Amino acid sequence: MVFSFAIAHNVSNAPEIIDKLKKGEVACGIVEGSLICSLFQLQVAGEAASTQKRNAKMTTKNVNSEIVFVLSPARNISQAYSQFGPSKDSKNLIFCSHSESPSPDQFLSYVKEFTTSDSVELLTSDDQLRGVTDIEKIKKTYKLTPLELSAGTVEESVVTKIATSYLQ
């Protein structure tokens, strides 16, 4: 399985992207960038979504949308998408693709076709998330407790929650 992630900074057409997403005209998952603390968080969600597909236990229609759903601590699709999907005010979006094709470069070209932003690039490093990630928003969304945070980092706590949410 190949996962590709792209990040768009200072998006100016989020309402149009949301409209395309609702019409099924976008062949990737789209995530609010402020809720992503690391590339590893996305990779774990991608692997969990892939596992759900392999086990015929997906909640959503495809692996790309399942990635968005898996990122959310909510087990309700609407709530997950309102938390982690793009909003009309989104400025930084992360695009997620799961497939054997297209190649990462083809995926990047595809995202650029419908995204108006200052930049769109493949997400290959946590450094690209600097200035995008909102740690306080992540703590609130995942309901991270002081005890959880004393045992490790925000990333470790979030990834643990994602990974263990499918062990039931």
Side-chain angles (χ1 to χ4, degrees):
M1 261 339 123
V2 175
F3 296 99
S4 296
F5 304 104
I7 185 166
H9 297 279
N10 202 22
V11 174
S12 59
N13 70 329
E16 291 87 358
I17 293 171
I18 293 167
D19 189 48
K20 285 181 165 294
L21 192 59
K22 287 180 179 177
K23 290 179 180 176
E25 298 173 358
V26 176
C28 62
I30 305 175
V31 178
E32 168 56 47
S34 64
L35 291 170
I36 303 302
C37 61
S38 70
L39 186 56
F40 185 56
Q41 177 187 4
L42 291 168
Q43 292 165 332
V44 169
E47 188 55 41
S50 180
T51 299
Q52 291 296 92
K53 179 180 181 183
R54 197 170 35 256
N55 294 335
K57 292 186 176 185
M58 285 199 331
T59 303
T60 65
K61 294 180 182 179
N62 61 59
V63 175
N64 293 326
S65 59
E66 191 78 7
I67 292 170
V68 179
F69 179 70
V70 166
L71 283 166
S72 174
R75 296 296 80 176
N76 172 290
I77 294 173
S78 295
Q79 188 178 1
Y81 273 87
S82 69
Q83 280 182 326
F84 279 81
S87 72
K88 64 182 176 77
D89 299 321
S90 292
K91 290 296 175 198
N92 300 293
L93 295 175
I94 296 176
F95 300 84
C96 311
S97 176
H98 157 273
S99 79
E100 295 303 323
S101 63
S103 71
D105 289 335
Q106 289 171 320
F107 174 62
L108 181 61
S109 294
Y110 170 73
V111 171
K112 286 180 177 181
E113 288 175 14
F114 62 88
T115 306
T116 304
S117 65
D118 288 351
S119 67
V120 181
E121 58 191 348
L122 289 174
L123 181 56
T124 59
S125 164
D126 290 346
D127 292 339
Q128 295 166 281
L129 294 169
R130 287 198 185 125
V132 173
T133 302
D134 183 336
I135 294 296
E136 292 308 313
K137 189 174 178 183
I138 291 171
K139 288 178 185 178
K140 183 178 177 185
T141 300
Y142 283 98
K143 298 178 176 127
L144 300 179
T145 66
L147 180 60
E148 287 172 309
L149 294 171
S150 71
T153 65
V154 169
E155 177 191 39
E156 291 167 340
S157 297
V158 167
V159 166
T160 298
K161 286 189 178 233
I162 291 170
T164 59
S165 68
Y166 290 93
L167 295 177
Q168 305 167 4

